[in-house]
Amino acid sequence: MKLFKKESKIEKEEYFSFCVEGIYEHKNDELFVLGIVDGIIQKLDSLFLIGPYGYEEKVEIQEWIEVDSKQNYYALLIDQRFQEEIDQGYIFTNKNNHLASSREEVYNPYLQFLLDQVNHQHYDYLDILFEQLATRAYFLAVFDYQDFPIYQINDKKYYPIYTSQLEMNKDQKCKNKKGSVYSFDDYSRMCLNQDKLDGIIINPYHKERSIVLNKDVIQHIRTIKEKNIKTYAKAKSYLKDRKRRQKYEIDYES
């Protein structure tokens, strides 16, 4: 099953994604990872492996194997130690950061993968998408209060935000305007405080990577963030306490 709709324009975004579809043991302590490339392939010696809930690691690629170039199917040979860490639905990509060196650039390879999955009715990815939005997603948008950007669907009005510069350029209203980069949390606060808005729409001009979020869903995503912050705070506090206990035990024993 092909997970991505190939678009030649993706090459302008300077990154590609290799979506993991199968993982198999190989000879010589190697792992054979089958997947499909979204975008223009770059056969690099190392890639970033990105998965749900913030998992991210740089991985050395031992070999690229062309499986079906017409369908963009390839395989990677990597170290077998990743067998317990990698799963279907993870991606390899050459860009790991959401924010590039410039504050006007955004890379969202994993977020775009999740949007693609949800649009293909793979709703088991929905919770991961919400968590990604709540804690790790940055977007481009135009802030112009004199000409407030609105995307209208029937009688509903949505604030458009974009996962990349390429997506923003598809909006005629955004041409020749400078974009600003903010987190989803920043945009959600703005939207919830605007009575004339009914929600947010991500990538309104890309059928495969677009999603409409009404205010109820936005509030739900904000709740997810608050829950995660509490979880992270507890984990951080626990680690500090454990270090204190270990130090005390070492000092006491010595």
Side-chain angles (χ1 to χ4, degrees):
M1 178 178 67
K2 190 171 182 179
L3 296 177
F4 288 99
K5 181 180 179 181
K6 185 179 177 182
E7 288 196 0
S8 59
K9 291 181 180 178
I10 290 175
E11 62 183 320
K12 296 179 182 178
E13 293 183 293
E14 298 180 350
Y15 68 81
F16 72 97
S17 298
F18 175 99
C19 174
V20 176
E21 292 192 354
I23 308 155
Y24 310 94
E25 290 186 11
H26 198 59
K27 59 184 179 181
N28 302 326
D29 296 324
E30 294 172 333
L31 205 60
F32 183 93
V33 183
L34 180 67
I36 187 167
V37 172
D38 177 40
I40 304 302
I41 190 171
Q42 300 176 37
K43 295 183 179 181
L44 303 173
D45 294 331
S46 64
L47 293 171
F48 295 99
L49 174 62
I50 303 178
Y53 310 114
Y55 176 82
E56 187 176 298
E57 187 163 351
K58 193 171 184 179
V59 177
E60 298 296 323
I61 307 301
Q62 297 176 13
E63 186 179 347
W64 284 83
I65 301 171
E66 187 176 294
V67 178
D68 185 346
S69 59
K70 290 184 179 179
Q71 295 295 320
N72 257 17
Y73 269 103
Y74 289 83
L76 304 179
L77 289 185
I78 63 174
D79 195 295
Q80 201 171 47
R81 68 186 176 87
F82 289 100
Q83 186 168 13
E84 299 300 321
E85 300 180 38
I86 187 174
D87 202 352
Q88 183 176 358
Y90 284 50
I91 68 167
F92 287 88
T93 177
N94 62 325
K95 298 286 188 182
N96 69 320
N97 55 326
H98 302 292
L99 294 177
S101 56
S102 167
R103 285 290 294 175
E104 297 173 23
E105 291 183 292
V106 179
Y107 299 118
N108 285 290
Y110 193 59
L111 180 62
Q112 293 193 161
F113 163 74
L114 294 172
L115 288 168
D116 188 274
Q117 296 304 300
V118 171
N119 272 297
H120 284 87
Q121 299 182 358
H122 300 160
Y123 296 124
D124 48 331
Y125 286 95
L126 196 57
D127 287 341
I128 302 172
L129 171 63
F130 285 167
E131 194 272 346
Q132 190 83 5
L133 290 172
T135 60
R136 296 175 178 85
Y138 287 83
F139 296 88
L140 268 170
V142 173
F143 274 115
D144 187 344
Y145 289 102
Q146 294 180 345
D147 184 18
F148 199 73
I150 295 291
Y151 188 89
Q152 192 157 338
I153 303 176
N154 298 325
D155 60 338
K156 302 292 185 182
K157 295 179 179 180
Y158 299 94
Y159 187 77
I161 61 177
Y162 307 91
T163 56
S164 70
Q165 185 66 51
L166 177 62
E167 293 304 322
M168 192 171 112
N169 290 344
K170 293 176 182 178
D171 188 345
Q172 295 297 319
K173 295 179 182 177
C174 294
K175 282 194 173 180
N176 302 319
K177 290 187 178 180
K178 187 176 181 180
S180 300
V181 178
Y182 293 98
S183 69
F184 180 80
D185 193 46
D186 295 325
Y187 291 118
S188 65
R189 280 199 306 270
M190 180 275 296
C191 176
L192 293 173
N193 291 328
Q194 289 280 343
D195 293 334
K196 62 181 178 181
L197 290 176
D198 295 288
I200 288 172
I201 183 167
I202 300 173
N203 294 341
Y205 298 95
H206 193 310
K207 183 180 177 181
E208 306 296 325
R209 294 174 180 167
S210 180
I211 191 169
V212 173
L213 306 170
N214 62 36
K215 287 188 175 181
D216 288 339
V217 176
I218 292 170
Q219 191 60 59
H220 173 66
I221 294 171
R222 286 177 62 83
T223 303
I224 292 172
K225 180 181 179 180
E226 291 169 4
K227 182 179 178 182
N228 282 340
I229 287 174
K230 291 177 182 178
T231 303
Y232 297 152
K234 286 180 180 178
K236 192 174 181 181
S237 176
Y238 170 77
L239 289 173
K240 282 184 177 179
D241 288 342
R242 189 174 66 176
K243 287 180 181 178
R244 288 195 198 101
R245 286 199 300 271
Q246 287 174 345
K247 186 177 185 303
Y248 171 78
E249 288 167 1
I250 291 170
D251 291 342
Y252 181 78
E253 288 174 359
S254 60

